[in-house]
Amino acid sequence: MRLKSKKIILGITGSIAAYKAAVLLRLLVKEGAEVQVVITPAGKEFITPVTLSALSGKPVISEFFAQGAGSWNSHVDLGLWADAMIVAPATASTIGKMANGIADNMLITTYLSAKCPVFVAPAMDLDMFAHPTTQQNLRTLKSFGNFVIEPATGELASGLSGKGRMEEPEIIVEELISFFDGKLQLTGKKFLVTAGPTREKIDAVRFISNYSSGKMGYAIAEELANRGAKVVLVSGPVNIKPVNGNIQLIRVESAEEMYDQCISVFPACNGAVMNAAVADYTPETPESKKVKKEKNDWELKLVSTKDIALELGKIKTPAQVLVGFALETDNELANAAKKLEQKNLDFIVLNSLNDNGAGFQTDTNKITILGKDNIPLFFELKNKAEVASDIVDKIVSILK
Ligand code: CTP
C-alpha cells in the first residue's frame, strides 16, 4: 500500500488507451489511494463511467452539473482536495486545452484549479505526437511544472508503429510512487548552475570562444528543477532554452560578466554546479571599433580571467555543495584530482575527450565522478539527461 490515503484525481480523455485507465485506476486503488475519476465527454465514448465508478467506489464526474439534482460539481473543491492529478490517457486536444487554458469541460476546469502536482500521460498517433504543436504544448505544460510521462514506442491503434503509446499503467504508478517517495527531495533548495561558453571580445565584431553547446549544464539545471529546486542558470550564448519554470535564466557573454553574476548569486544558494566552459584568457585591451585589415599582422595580448569555481571555493560554507567539471585529453584522473583540491570542490565530473560520444556538442556523455575520497566512480555512456540525474543523485547524497 505505497499510496495509502493519497487523494488522486484521475483524468480520462477520449483515446483508445482509455481502456488502460481502468487498469491504472485498479492499481492506484490497490496501492491504497483514494481516486476520483473525472472524464471528458469524449472519454465516455471509449470507456463507461459504470466500470470506473465500480473500480473507484465513487461516482465518476464528467459534467459541471449533477444531472437532475440541480447541484453542481465544484472543480475548485476537487482541485484543492487532491494530492496529485494524473491525466491518462491525455489526447492531443486535452494537452492543447491544458496548455492554453481552454476550460470547456470539467477536466480542464479541475486542472486549472488544481494546486497539486499534475502528471500527464500522452496517448496518440506518432505523427500527432511528433507535431510541433503537440511538442510545443508539452513544453508549455513542463514550464508550468507539470510532469509529462513520455509515451512508449510501439504498435499504435492506427496500425502504425512509433512513439505515442500511452505508458503502461504499472510504470505510471511507479512514477507516482517515486514522486511521493521524495523525488522532490530538493524542494526549498536553491542552486546556481553555469553553462555554455563565454565570448571574449577582440574588437567590436570579433571574439574568442569555444565549442561548448551548453547541453550538459542545461540538463543539470532541468534535473535540479524537476526535483523541486529553484535554479539560477548563468549561461553564455547557446541555442537552447530552459523548459522548467523553476529555472531563472541569466544570460551573460564574457567570463567577467559570468563571474559577477555568480559571485552575487552563490551566497544565497545551497550549491553550485560549474559546467560553463569559461575562457581562461581574455584580450587585455579589446579594440572598441572594428579592426581594419590594413594591418599586416595583429598581435593580441591575452590576460587571465578569474577562475569562477576557484573563487566560489574560497567563499563556500561547509553547508554548500560545489561541483566542478574537468574536460581533459590526457592524465585525466590526475588533472581532475588537482582541480578538485585547488578549487575546494566537493566533487568533480570528469569528461575525457578521448571517449567517443563525450564532451562538447554531443547529446551523450561519459563521465567519471571523483569525490574527496579520491575513489573514481565510472559511468557508462548515457544521454545527457541521464548523466544529469547521476550528478544530481550525488549532490543529494552530499546534502543529506
Ligand atoms: N572554471 C571556472 N572559471 C574559469 C575556468 C574554469 O569556473 N575561469 C570551472 C569550470 O566551469 C569547471 C572547472 O572550473 O567546472 C574546470 O574547468 P577546466 O576548463 O577543465 O579547467 P581549468 O581550471 O580552466 O584548467 P585547464 O584549462 O588548465 O585544464
Side-chain angles (χ1 to χ4, degrees), residues 194 255 258 273-281 305-310 312 323-328 335 339 342-343 345 348-349:
T194 66
M258 188 173 271
V273 182
M274 314 308 288
N275 178 251
V278 187
D280 290 326
Y281 296 96
T305 56
K306 286 200 188 102
D307 187 322
I308 306 169
L310 185 100
L312 298 190
V323 181
F325 273 73
L327 182 64
E328 305 290 342
N335 283 333
K339 287 176 190 172
Q342 270 173 355
K343 305 192 188 197
L345 306 171
I348 190 156
V349 182

Side-chain angles (χ1 to χ4, degrees), residues 221-265:
E222 297 291 346
E223 182 64 23
L224 288 165
N226 284 343
R227 297 203 200 182
K230 292 243 179 287
V231 179
V232 180
L233 175 59
V234 179
S235 172
V238 292
N239 285 324
I240 37 180
K241 282 190 194 147
V243 175
N244 193 301
N246 276 336
I247 302 175
Q248 181 200 345
L249 176 66
I250 300 180
R251 290 177 210 270
V252 295
E253 232 176 81
S254 65
E256 193 179 350
E257 284 167 20
M258 188 173 271
Y259 169 82
D260 289 343
Q261 292 295 339
C262 291
I263 282 290
S264 82
V265 168

Side-chain angles (χ1 to χ4, degrees), residues 167-218:
E167 190 47 282
E168 293 306 322
E170 289 78 5
I171 294 181
I172 297 177
V173 172
E174 285 310 318
E175 289 222 7
L176 198 67
I177 289 169
S178 66
F179 166 79
F180 283 121
D181 271 358
K183 252 290 187 186
L184 287 185
Q185 67 245 108
L186 294 175
T187 303
K189 302 263 189 286
K190 187 173 173 184
F191 289 89
L192 163 69
V193 177
T194 66
T198 63
R199 286 180 180 172
E200 308 304 319
K201 274 195 171 166
I202 299 173
D203 71 3
V205 295
R206 302 177 180 96
F207 55 81
I208 300 175
S209 191
N210 59 63
Y211 289 114
S212 170
S213 63
K215 285 179 185 167
M216 192 65 246
Y218 276 61

